[in-house]
Amino acid sequence: FSVQILFLVNFFYSIFKGRKVTTQNPWGANTLEWTTPIHPGHGNWVGEIPEVYRWAYDYGKDGKEFIPQTKPIGDDESHH
């Protein structure tokens, strides 16, 4: 029971007093959900849904630290 109380306190504290996200991708993540606007409308993406070209975790690939999923695979990259 006490753990449930702790969960509820943390939940409501986070909603009302927690830090708000102010940039679109604060953690530098590669996954598709970070391409949506901070305050998305109906359907999340404005216009067409982005096409995904690569796996979500292409960190450190071919000497590049950050490659978004929406960037096409170039001729100078390995495919796996």
Side-chain angles (χ1 to χ4, degrees):
F1 179 74
S2 61
V3 173
Q4 292 173 340
I5 298 293
L6 179 63
F7 170 77
L8 289 174
V9 168
N10 185 34
F11 179 76
F12 287 108
Y13 178 83
S14 297
I15 287 175
F16 297 109
K17 298 287 186 181
R19 292 182 290 164
K20 305 294 184 215
V21 176
T22 57
T23 61
Q24 191 171 357
N25 190 356
W27 294 280
N30 291 348
T31 53
L32 192 59
E33 64 266 17
W34 294 107
T35 63
T36 61
I38 292 175
H39 301 290
H42 178 71
N44 292 346
W45 284 278
V46 178
E48 294 291 317
I49 295 174
E51 187 171 347
V52 176
Y53 297 98
R54 55 184 75 240
W55 293 102
Y57 300 104
D58 273 350
Y59 289 108
K61 183 177 177 185
D62 296 326
K64 299 173 188 167
E65 289 300 317
F66 174 76
I67 308 170
Q69 284 183 297
T70 55
K71 181 181 177 203
I73 296 174
D75 294 333
D76 61 336
E77 290 184 69
S78 59
H79 288 277
H80 292 288

Coordinates of all heavy atoms in Angstrom, one line a residue:
F1 N 0.8 -1.2 0.0 CA 0.0 0.0 0.0 C 0.9 1.3 0.0 O 0.6 2.2 -0.7 CB -0.9 0.0 1.2 CG -1.8 1.2 1.3 CD1 -2.9 1.4 0.4 CD2 -1.6 2.1 2.3 CE1 -3.7 2.5 0.5 CE2 -2.4 3.3 2.4 CZ -3.5 3.4 1.5
S2 N 1.9 1.3 0.8 CA 2.8 2.5 0.9 C 3.5 2.8 -0.5 O 3.7 3.9 -0.8 CB 3.8 2.3 2.0 OG 4.6 1.2 1.7
V3 N 3.8 1.7 -1.2 CA 4.4 1.9 -2.5 C 3.4 2.6 -3.5 O 3.8 3.4 -4.3 CB 4.9 0.6 -3.1 CG1 5.4 0.8 -4.5 CG2 6.0 0.1 -2.2
Q4 N 2.2 2.2 -3.4 CA 1.1 2.8 -4.2 C 1.0 4.3 -3.9 O 0.8 5.2 -4.8 CB -0.2 2.1 -4.1 CG -0.1 0.7 -4.7 CD -1.4 -0.1 -4.4 OE1 -2.1 0.2 -3.4 NE2 -1.6 -1.1 -5.1
I5 N 1.0 4.7 -2.6 CA 1.0 6.1 -2.2 C 2.2 6.8 -2.8 O 2.1 7.9 -3.3 CB 0.9 6.2 -0.7 CG1 -0.3 5.5 -0.1 CG2 1.1 7.6 -0.2 CD1 -1.6 6.2 -0.5
L6 N 3.4 6.2 -2.7 CA 4.6 6.8 -3.2 C 4.4 7.1 -4.8 O 4.8 8.1 -5.3 CB 5.8 6.0 -2.9 CG 7.1 6.5 -3.5 CD1 7.5 7.8 -2.8 CD2 8.2 5.4 -3.2
F7 N 3.9 6.1 -5.4 CA 3.7 6.2 -6.9 C 2.7 7.4 -7.2 O 3.0 8.2 -8.1 CB 3.1 4.9 -7.5 CG 2.6 5.1 -8.9 CD1 3.5 5.1 -9.9 CD2 1.2 5.2 -9.1 CE1 3.0 5.3 -11.2 CE2 0.8 5.4 -10.4 CZ 1.7 5.4 -11.5
L8 N 1.6 7.5 -6.5 CA 0.7 8.5 -6.7 C 1.2 9.9 -6.4 O 1.0 10.9 -7.2 CB -0.6 8.3 -5.9 CG -1.5 7.2 -6.4 CD1 -2.6 6.9 -5.4 CD2 -2.0 7.4 -7.8
V9 N 2.0 10.0 -5.3 CA 2.6 11.3 -5.0 C 3.6 11.7 -6.1 O 3.6 12.8 -6.6 CB 3.3 11.2 -3.6 CG1 4.2 12.4 -3.4 CG2 2.3 11.1 -2.5
N10 N 4.4 10.8 -6.6 CA 5.4 11.0 -7.6 C 4.7 11.4 -8.9 O 5.1 12.3 -9.7 CB 6.3 9.8 -7.8 CG 7.4 10.1 -8.8 OD1 7.9 11.2 -8.9 ND2 7.8 9.1 -9.6
F11 N 3.6 10.7 -9.3 CA 2.9 10.9 -10.5 C 2.3 12.3 -10.5 O 2.5 13.0 -11.5 CB 1.7 9.9 -10.6 CG 0.9 10.0 -11.8 CD1 1.3 9.6 -13.0 CD2 -0.4 10.6 -11.6 CE1 0.5 9.7 -14.1 CE2 -1.2 10.7 -12.7 CZ -0.8 10.3 -14.0
F12 N 1.6 12.7 -9.5 CA 1.0 14.1 -9.5 C 2.0 15.2 -9.3 O 1.9 16.2 -9.9 CB -0.1 14.1 -8.4 CG -1.3 13.4 -8.8 CD1 -1.7 12.2 -8.2 CD2 -2.1 13.8 -9.9 CE1 -2.8 11.5 -8.6 CE2 -3.3 13.1 -10.3 CZ -3.6 12.0 -9.6
Y13 N 3.1 14.9 -8.6 CA 4.2 15.9 -8.5 C 4.8 16.1 -9.9 O 5.0 17.3 -10.3 CB 5.2 15.4 -7.5 CG 6.4 16.4 -7.4 CD1 6.3 17.5 -6.6 CD2 7.6 16.2 -8.2 CE1 7.4 18.4 -6.6 CE2 8.6 17.1 -8.1 CZ 8.5 18.2 -7.3 OH 9.6 19.1 -7.3
S14 N 5.0 15.1 -10.6 CA 5.6 15.2 -11.9 C 4.7 15.9 -12.9 O 5.2 16.7 -13.8 CB 5.9 13.8 -12.5 OG 6.9 13.1 -11.7
I15 N 3.4 15.7 -12.8 CA 2.5 16.4 -13.7 C 2.5 17.9 -13.4 O 2.5 18.7 -14.4 CB 1.0 15.8 -13.5 CG1 0.9 14.4 -14.1 CG2 0.0 16.8 -14.2 CD1 -0.4 13.8 -13.9
F16 N 2.4 18.3 -12.2 CA 2.3 19.7 -11.8 C 3.6 20.5 -11.6 O 3.6 21.7 -11.8 CB 1.3 19.9 -10.7 CG -0.1 19.4 -10.9 CD1 -0.5 18.2 -10.4 CD2 -0.9 20.0 -11.8 CE1 -1.8 17.7 -10.6 CE2 -2.2 19.5 -12.1 CZ -2.6 18.4 -11.5
K17 N 4.6 19.8 -11.1 CA 5.8 20.5 -10.7 C 7.0 20.0 -11.5 O 8.1 20.5 -11.3 CB 6.1 20.3 -9.2 CG 5.1 20.9 -8.3 CD 5.1 22.4 -8.3 CE 4.2 23.0 -7.3 NZ 4.2 24.4 -7.2
G18 N 6.9 19.0 -12.3 CA 8.0 18.4 -13.0 C 8.5 19.3 -14.1 O 7.9 20.2 -14.6
R19 N 9.7 18.9 -14.6 CA 10.3 19.7 -15.7 C 9.6 19.4 -17.0 O 9.2 18.3 -17.3 CB 11.8 19.4 -15.9 CG 12.7 19.8 -14.7 CD 14.1 19.5 -14.9 NE 14.2 18.0 -14.8 CZ 15.3 17.3 -15.3 NH1 16.3 18.0 -15.8 NH2 15.3 16.0 -15.1
K20 N 9.4 20.4 -17.8 CA 8.7 20.3 -19.1 C 9.8 20.2 -20.2 O 10.9 20.8 -20.1 CB 7.8 21.5 -19.4 CG 6.8 21.8 -18.3 CD 5.8 20.7 -18.1 CE 4.8 21.1 -17.1 NZ 4.3 20.0 -16.4
V21 N 9.5 19.4 -21.2 CA 10.4 19.3 -22.4 C 10.3 20.6 -23.2 O 9.2 21.0 -23.6 CB 10.0 18.1 -23.3 CG1 10.8 18.0 -24.5 CG2 10.1 16.8 -22.5
T22 N 11.4 21.2 -23.5 CA 11.4 22.5 -24.2 C 12.0 22.4 -25.6 O 11.9 23.3 -26.4 CB 12.1 23.6 -23.4 OG1 13.5 23.1 -23.2 CG2 11.4 23.9 -22.1
T23 N 12.8 21.3 -25.9 CA 13.4 21.1 -27.2 C 12.8 19.8 -27.7 O 12.4 18.9 -27.0 CB 14.9 21.0 -27.1 OG1 15.3 19.9 -26.3 CG2 15.5 22.3 -26.6
Q24 N 12.8 19.7 -29.1 CA 12.2 18.5 -29.7 C 12.9 17.2 -29.4 O 12.2 16.2 -29.3 CB 12.2 18.7 -31.2 CG 11.3 17.7 -32.0 CD 11.1 18.1 -33.4 OE1 11.6 19.1 -33.9 NE2 10.5 17.3 -34.1
N25 N 14.2 17.2 -29.2 CA 14.9 15.9 -29.0 C 16.0 16.2 -27.9 O 17.2 16.2 -28.2 CB 15.5 15.4 -30.3 CG 16.1 14.0 -30.1 OD1 16.1 13.4 -29.1 ND2 16.5 13.5 -31.2
P26 N 15.6 16.4 -26.7 CA 16.6 16.7 -25.6 C 17.6 15.7 -25.4 O 18.7 16.0 -24.9 CB 15.8 17.0 -24.4 CG 14.5 16.3 -24.6 CD 14.3 16.2 -26.1
W27 N 17.4 14.4 -25.7 CA 18.3 13.3 -25.3 C 19.1 12.9 -26.5 O 20.0 12.0 -26.4 CB 17.6 12.1 -24.7 CG 17.0 12.5 -23.4 CD1 17.6 12.5 -22.2 CD2 15.7 12.9 -23.2 NE1 16.8 12.9 -21.2 CE2 15.6 13.1 -21.8 CE3 14.5 13.0 -23.9 CZ2 14.4 13.5 -21.2 CZ3 13.4 13.4 -23.3 CH2 13.3 13.7 -22.0
G28 N 18.9 13.5 -27.7 CA 19.6 13.1 -28.9 C 19.3 11.7 -29.3 O 20.2 10.9 -29.9
A29 N 18.0 11.2 -29.2 CA 17.6 9.9 -29.5 C 17.4 9.8 -31.0 O 17.1 10.7 -31.7 CB 16.3 9.6 -28.8
N30 N 17.6 8.6 -31.5 CA 17.5 8.3 -33.0 C 16.1 7.9 -33.4 O 15.8 7.8 -34.6 CB 18.5 7.2 -33.4 CG 19.9 7.7 -33.3 OD1 20.2 8.8 -33.2 ND2 20.8 6.7 -33.4
T31 N 15.2 7.6 -32.5 CA 14.0 7.0 -32.8 C 13.0 8.0 -33.4 O 13.1 9.2 -33.1 CB 13.4 6.2 -31.6 OG1 13.3 7.1 -30.5 CG2 14.2 5.0 -31.2
L32 N 12.0 7.4 -34.1 CA 11.0 8.2 -34.8 C 10.2 9.1 -34.0 O 9.8 10.2 -34.4 CB 10.2 7.3 -35.7 CG 9.3 7.9 -36.7 CD1 10.1 8.7 -37.7 CD2 8.5 6.8 -37.4
E33 N 9.8 8.7 -32.7 CA 8.9 9.6 -31.9 C 9.5 10.9 -31.6 O 8.8 11.9 -31.3 CB 8.5 8.8 -30.6 CG 9.6 8.6 -29.7 CD 10.2 7.2 -29.8 OE1 10.0 6.6 -30.9 OE2 10.9 6.8 -28.9
W34 N 10.8 11.1 -31.7 CA 11.4 12.4 -31.4 C 11.4 13.3 -32.6 O 11.8 14.5 -32.6 CB 12.9 12.2 -30.9 CG 12.8 11.5 -29.6 CD1 13.2 10.2 -29.4 CD2 12.4 12.1 -28.4 NE1 13.0 9.9 -28.1 CE2 12.5 11.0 -27.4 CE3 11.9 13.3 -28.0 CZ2 12.2 11.2 -26.1 CZ3 11.6 13.5 -26.7 CH2 11.7 12.4 -25.7
T35 N 10.7 12.9 -33.7 CA 10.6 13.8 -34.9 C 9.2 14.5 -34.8 O 9.0 15.4 -35.6 CB 10.7 13.0 -36.2 OG1 9.6 12.1 -36.3 CG2 12.0 12.4 -36.3
T36 N 8.4 14.2 -33.8 CA 7.1 14.8 -33.7 C 7.3 16.2 -33.0 O 8.2 16.4 -32.3 CB 6.1 14.0 -32.9 OG1 6.6 13.8 -31.5 CG2 5.8 12.7 -33.5
P37 N 6.3 17.1 -33.3 CA 6.4 18.4 -32.6 C 6.2 18.3 -31.1 O 5.7 17.3 -30.6 CB 5.2 19.2 -33.2 CG 4.9 18.5 -34.4 CD 5.3 17.1 -34.3
I38 N 6.7 19.2 -30.3 CA 6.5 19.2 -28.8 C 5.0 19.1 -28.5 O 4.6 18.4 -27.6 CB 7.2 20.4 -28.2 CG1 8.7 20.2 -28.3 CG2 6.9 20.4 -26.7 CD1 9.5 21.4 -27.8
H39 N 4.2 19.9 -29.1 CA 2.7 19.9 -28.9 C 2.1 19.4 -30.2 O 1.6 20.2 -31.0 CB 2.3 21.3 -28.5 CG 2.9 21.9 -27.3 ND1 2.7 21.4 -26.1 CD2 3.8 22.8 -27.2 CE1 3.4 22.0 -25.2 NE2 4.1 22.9 -25.8
P40 N 2.0 18.1 -30.4 CA 1.5 17.6 -31.6 C 0.0 17.7 -31.7 O -0.7 17.7 -30.7 CB 1.9 16.1 -31.6 CG 2.0 15.8 -30.2 CD 2.5 17.0 -29.5
G41 N -0.5 17.9 -32.9 CA -2.0 17.9 -33.1 C -2.5 16.5 -33.4 O -1.8 15.5 -33.1
H42 N -3.6 16.4 -34.0 CA -4.2 15.1 -34.3 C -3.3 14.4 -35.3 O -2.9 14.9 -36.4 CB -5.6 15.2 -34.9 CG -6.2 14.0 -35.3 ND1 -6.6 13.1 -34.3 CD2 -6.5 13.4 -36.5 CE1 -7.1 12.0 -34.9 NE2 -7.0 12.2 -36.2
G43 N -2.9 13.2 -35.0 CA -2.1 12.4 -35.9 C -0.6 12.5 -35.7 O 0.2 11.9 -36.4
N44 N -0.1 13.4 -34.8 CA 1.2 13.6 -34.4 C 2.1 14.3 -35.5 O 2.8 15.3 -35.1 CB 1.9 12.3 -34.0 CG 1.4 11.7 -32.8 OD1 0.7 12.4 -32.0 ND2 1.7 10.5 -32.5
W45 N 2.1 13.9 -36.7 CA 3.0 14.5 -37.7 C 2.2 15.5 -38.6 O 1.1 15.2 -39.0 CB 3.7 13.5 -38.6 CG 4.8 12.8 -37.9 CD1 6.1 13.2 -37.7 CD2 4.8 11.5 -37.2 NE1 6.8 12.3 -37.0 CE2 6.0 11.2 -36.7 CE3 3.8 10.6 -37.1 CZ2 6.3 10.1 -36.0 CZ3 4.1 9.4 -36.4 CH2 5.3 9.2 -35.9
V46 N 2.9 16.6 -38.9 CA 2.3 17.5 -39.8 C 2.6 17.0 -41.2 O 3.7 16.7 -41.6 CB 2.9 18.9 -39.6 CG1 2.3 19.9 -40.6 CG2 2.7 19.4 -38.2
G47 N 1.6 16.8 -42.1 CA 1.8 16.3 -43.4 C 1.9 14.8 -43.4 O 1.3 14.1 -42.7
E48 N 2.8 14.3 -44.3 CA 3.1 12.9 -44.4 C 3.8 12.3 -43.2 O 4.6 12.9 -42.6 CB 3.9 12.6 -45.7 CG 3.1 13.0 -47.0 CD 2.0 12.1 -47.3 OE1 2.1 10.9 -47.1 OE2 0.9 12.7 -47.7
I49 N 3.5 11.0 -43.0 CA 4.3 10.3 -41.9 C 5.7 10.1 -42.5 O 5.9 9.6 -43.6 CB 3.6 8.9 -41.6 CG1 2.2 9.2 -41.0 CG2 4.5 8.1 -40.7 CD1 1.4 8.0 -40.8
P50 N 6.7 10.3 -41.7 CA 8.1 10.2 -42.2 C 8.4 8.7 -42.5 O 7.9 7.8 -41.9 CB 9.0 10.6 -41.0 CG 8.1 11.3 -40.0 CD 6.7 10.9 -40.3
E51 N 9.2 8.5 -43.5 CA 9.7 7.2 -43.9 C 10.9 6.8 -43.1 O 11.8 7.7 -42.9 CB 10.0 7.2 -45.4 CG 10.3 5.8 -45.9 CD 10.4 5.7 -47.4 OE1 10.1 6.7 -48.1 OE2 10.9 4.7 -47.9
V52 N 11.0 5.6 -42.6 CA 12.1 5.1 -41.8 C 13.0 4.3 -42.6 O 12.6 3.4 -43.4 CB 11.5 4.3 -40.6 CG1 12.7 3.7 -39.8 CG2 10.6 5.1 -39.7
Y53 N 14.3 4.7 -42.6 CA 15.3 4.0 -43.4 C 16.3 3.1 -42.7 O 17.0 2.3 -43.3 CB 16.2 5.1 -44.2 CG 15.4 5.9 -45.1 CD1 14.9 7.2 -44.7 CD2 15.1 5.4 -46.4 CE1 14.2 7.9 -45.6 CE2 14.3 6.2 -47.3 CZ 13.9 7.5 -46.9 OH 13.2 8.2 -47.7
R54 N 16.3 3.2 -41.4 CA 17.4 2.5 -40.6 C 16.8 2.1 -39.2 O 15.7 2.5 -38.8 CB 18.6 3.4 -40.4 CG 18.3 4.7 -39.8 CD 19.5 5.6 -39.7 NE 19.9 6.2 -41.0 CZ 21.1 6.0 -41.6 NH1 22.0 5.3 -41.0 NH2 21.3 6.5 -42.7
W55 N 17.6 1.3 -38.5 CA 17.2 0.8 -37.2 C 17.2 2.0 -36.2 O 17.9 3.0 -36.5 CB 18.1 -0.3 -36.7 CG 18.0 -1.5 -37.5 CD1 18.8 -2.0 -38.5 CD2 16.9 -2.5 -37.4 NE1 18.3 -3.2 -39.0 CE2 17.2 -3.5 -38.4 CE3 15.8 -2.6 -36.6 CZ2 16.3 -4.6 -38.5 CZ3 15.0 -3.7 -36.8 CH2 15.2 -4.7 -37.7
A56 N 16.5 1.8 -35.1 CA 16.5 2.9 -34.1 C 17.8 3.2 -33.5 O 18.0 4.3 -33.1 CB 15.4 2.5 -33.1
Y57 N 18.7 2.2 -33.4 CA 19.9 2.4 -32.6 C 21.1 2.3 -33.5 O 21.9 1.3 -33.4 CB 20.0 1.4 -31.4 CG 18.8 1.6 -30.5 CD1 17.7 0.7 -30.5 CD2 18.8 2.7 -29.7 CE1 16.6 1.0 -29.7 CE2 17.7 2.9 -28.8 CZ 16.6 2.1 -28.8 OH 15.6 2.3 -28.0
D58 N 21.3 3.2 -34.4 CA 22.5 3.3 -35.3 C 23.5 4.2 -34.6 O 24.1 5.1 -35.3 CB 22.1 3.8 -36.7 CG 21.7 2.7 -37.6 OD1 21.9 1.5 -37.2 OD2 21.2 2.9 -38.7
Y59 N 23.8 4.1 -33.3 CA 24.8 4.9 -32.7 C 26.2 4.4 -33.0 O 26.4 3.2 -33.1 CB 24.6 4.8 -31.1 CG 23.4 5.5 -30.6 CD1 22.3 4.8 -30.1 CD2 23.4 6.9 -30.6 CE1 21.2 5.5 -29.6 CE2 22.2 7.6 -30.1 CZ 21.2 6.8 -29.6 OH 20.1 7.5 -29.1
G60 N 27.1 5.3 -33.2 CA 28.5 5.0 -33.5 C 28.7 4.2 -34.8 O 29.6 3.4 -34.9
K61 N 27.8 4.4 -35.7 CA 27.9 3.7 -37.0 C 28.8 4.5 -38.0 O 28.5 5.7 -38.2 CB 26.6 3.5 -37.6 CG 26.5 2.7 -38.8 CD 25.1 2.4 -39.3 CE 25.1 1.7 -40.6 NZ 23.7 1.6 -41.1
D62 N 29.8 3.9 -38.5 CA 30.7 4.5 -39.5 C 31.3 5.8 -39.1 O 31.4 6.7 -39.8 CB 29.9 4.7 -40.9 CG 29.5 3.4 -41.5 OD1 30.3 2.4 -41.4 OD2 28.5 3.3 -42.1
G63 N 31.6 5.9 -37.8 CA 32.2 7.1 -37.2 C 31.2 8.2 -36.9 O 31.6 9.3 -36.5
K64 N 29.9 8.0 -37.1 CA 28.9 9.0 -36.8 C 28.2 8.7 -35.5 O 27.8 7.5 -35.3 CB 27.9 9.1 -37.9 CG 28.6 9.5 -39.3 CD 27.6 9.5 -40.4 CE 28.3 9.7 -41.7 NZ 27.4 9.3 -42.8
E65 N 28.1 9.6 -34.6 CA 27.5 9.3 -33.3 C 25.9 9.4 -33.3 O 25.3 8.7 -32.6 CB 28.0 10.3 -32.3 CG 29.4 10.0 -31.9 CD 29.6 8.6 -31.3 OE1 28.8 8.2 -30.5 OE2 30.6 8.0 -31.7
F66 N 25.4 10.2 -34.2 CA 23.9 10.4 -34.2 C 23.4 10.4 -35.6 O 23.8 11.2 -36.5 CB 23.6 11.8 -33.6 CG 22.1 12.1 -33.7 CD1 21.2 11.5 -32.9 CD2 21.7 13.0 -34.6 CE1 19.8 11.8 -32.9 CE2 20.3 13.3 -34.7 CZ 19.4 12.7 -33.9
I67 N 22.6 9.4 -35.9 CA 22.0 9.3 -37.3 C 20.5 9.1 -37.1 O 20.1 8.0 -36.6 CB 22.6 8.2 -38.1 CG1 24.1 8.2 -38.1 CG2 22.0 8.2 -39.5 CD1 24.7 7.0 -38.7
P68 N 19.6 10.0 -37.4 CA 18.2 9.8 -37.2 C 17.6 8.7 -38.1 O 18.2 8.4 -39.2 CB 17.6 11.2 -37.7 CG 18.7 12.1 -37.7 CD 19.9 11.4 -37.9
Q69 N 16.5 8.1 -37.8 CA 15.9 7.1 -38.5 C 15.4 7.6 -39.9 O 15.3 6.8 -40.8 CB 14.7 6.5 -37.8 CG 15.1 5.5 -36.7 CD 13.8 4.9 -36.1 OE1 13.0 5.7 -35.5 NE2 13.7 3.7 -36.2
T70 N 15.1 8.8 -40.0 CA 14.5 9.4 -41.2 C 15.6 9.7 -42.3 O 15.2 10.1 -43.4 CB 13.7 10.6 -40.9 OG1 14.5 11.6 -40.2 CG2 12.5 10.2 -40.0
K71 N 16.9 9.6 -41.9 CA 17.9 10.0 -42.9 C 18.2 8.7 -43.8 O 18.5 7.7 -43.2 CB 19.2 10.4 -42.2 CG 20.3 10.8 -43.1 CD 21.5 11.2 -42.4 CE 22.6 11.5 -43.5 NZ 23.9 11.3 -42.9
P72 N 18.1 8.8 -45.1 CA 18.4 7.7 -46.0 C 19.8 7.2 -45.8 O 20.7 7.9 -45.5 CB 18.1 8.2 -47.4 CG 17.3 9.4 -47.2 CD 17.7 10.0 -45.9
I73 N 20.0 5.9 -46.0 CA 21.3 5.3 -46.0 C 22.1 5.7 -47.2 O 21.7 5.6 -48.3 CB 21.2 3.8 -45.9 CG1 20.5 3.4 -44.6 CG2 22.6 3.1 -46.0 CD1 20.2 1.9 -44.5
G74 N 23.3 6.3 -46.9 CA 24.1 6.9 -48.0 C 25.0 5.8 -48.6 O 25.1 4.7 -48.1
D75 N 25.6 6.1 -49.8 CA 26.4 5.2 -50.5 C 27.7 4.9 -49.7 O 28.3 3.8 -49.8 CB 26.8 5.7 -51.8 CG 25.6 5.8 -52.8 OD1 24.7 5.0 -52.6 OD2 25.7 6.7 -53.7
D76 N 28.1 5.8 -48.8 CA 29.3 5.6 -48.0 C 29.1 4.9 -46.7 O 30.0 4.8 -45.9 CB 30.0 7.0 -47.8 CG 29.1 7.9 -47.0 OD1 27.8 7.7 -47.0 OD2 29.6 8.8 -46.3
E77 N 27.9 4.4 -46.5 CA 27.6 3.7 -45.2 C 27.4 2.2 -45.4 O 27.0 1.8 -46.4 CB 26.2 4.2 -44.6 CG 26.2 5.6 -44.1 CD 24.9 6.0 -43.5 OE1 24.6 5.5 -42.5 OE2 24.2 6.8 -44.1
S78 N 27.7 1.5 -44.3 CA 27.4 0.1 -44.3 C 26.0 -0.1 -43.9 O 25.4 0.7 -43.2 CB 28.3 -0.7 -43.3 OG 28.1 -0.1 -42.0
H79 N 25.3 -1.2 -44.4 CA 23.9 -1.4 -44.2 C 23.6 -2.0 -42.9 O 22.5 -2.0 -42.4 CB 23.3 -2.2 -45.4 CG 23.2 -1.4 -46.6 ND1 22.2 -0.6 -46.9 CD2 24.1 -1.4 -47.7 CE1 22.4 0.0 -48.1 NE2 23.5 -0.5 -48.6
H80 N 24.6 -2.7 -42.2 CA 24.3 -3.3 -40.9 C 25.4 -3.0 -40.0 O 26.5 -2.8 -40.3 CB 24.1 -4.8 -41.0 CG 22.8 -5.1 -41.8 ND1 21.6 -4.9 -41.2 CD2 22.6 -5.6 -43.0 CE1 20.7 -5.3 -42.1 NE2 21.3 -5.7 -43.2

